[in-house]
């Protein structure tokens, strides 16, 4: 399984928000829970080593909505690291990638 700074930061930001259900949970507690999760299974850390401006990875002319920027970036990161993107989003596509690949997305 792949983990990266963007998803880690997002989890901490959302779960430690005062209005999160059953919250607030301190950021340090969320990080401790993530650390415990990482002891389960095999996790690979993926640095933020792609750029949205990299035309070998992204086709930015196909990125038409600001609300898909992060997911598009994460799809490119997964593609670079030969990983899959697991989501519940039924509308997400890989059309903004230079090499669109429907098998990159795993819908749950």
């Amino acid at each position: 399984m792949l983990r990266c700074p963007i998803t880690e930061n997002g989890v901490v930001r959302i779960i430690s928000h005062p209005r999160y259900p059953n919250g607030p949970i301190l950021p340090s507690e969320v990080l401790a829970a993530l650390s415990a999760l990482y002891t389960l299974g095999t996790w690979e850390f993926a640095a933020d080593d792609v750029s949205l401006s990299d035309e070998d990875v992204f086709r930015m002319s196909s990125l038409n909505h600001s609300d898909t920027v992060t997911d598009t970036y994460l799809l490119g990161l997964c593609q670079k690291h030969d990983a899959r993107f697991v989501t519940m989003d039924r509308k997400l596509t890989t059309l903004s990638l230079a090499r669109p690949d429907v098998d990159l997305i795993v819908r749950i």
Side-chain angles (χ1 to χ4, degrees):
M1 291 177 272
L2 193 67
R3 62 187 183 104
C4 75
I6 288 182
T7 55
E8 288 178 345
N9 293 346
V11 166
V12 173
R13 182 180 59 83
I14 290 168
I15 294 179
S16 65
H17 191 278
R19 285 184 258 155
Y20 189 78
N22 301 316
I25 300 170
L26 294 173
S28 59
E29 295 172 319
V30 179
L31 287 167
L34 282 174
S35 293
L37 177 66
Y38 297 149
T39 65
L40 307 173
T42 303
W43 290 85
E44 175 189 342
F45 183 80
D48 284 339
D49 57 358
V50 296
S51 171
L52 283 172
S53 62
D54 186 342
E55 294 178 359
D56 291 331
V57 180
F58 301 102
R59 185 175 11 176
M60 294 316 296
S61 61
S62 297
L63 188 61
N64 298 318
H65 301 285
S66 63
D67 58 350
T68 61
V69 170
T70 301
D71 286 342
T72 297
Y73 175 81
L74 292 172
L75 282 167
L77 189 65
C78 285
Q79 192 170 53
K80 179 175 181 178
H81 290 274
D82 196 29
R84 300 292 172 260
F85 187 86
V86 179
T87 184
M88 293 186 287
D89 187 342
R90 298 287 178 226
K91 297 178 184 177
L92 186 63
T93 72
T94 61
L95 295 178
S96 293
L97 297 178
R99 296 181 333 265
D101 178 1
V102 294
D103 293 330
L104 188 63
I105 300 175
V106 177
R107 300 185 199 283
I108 57 171

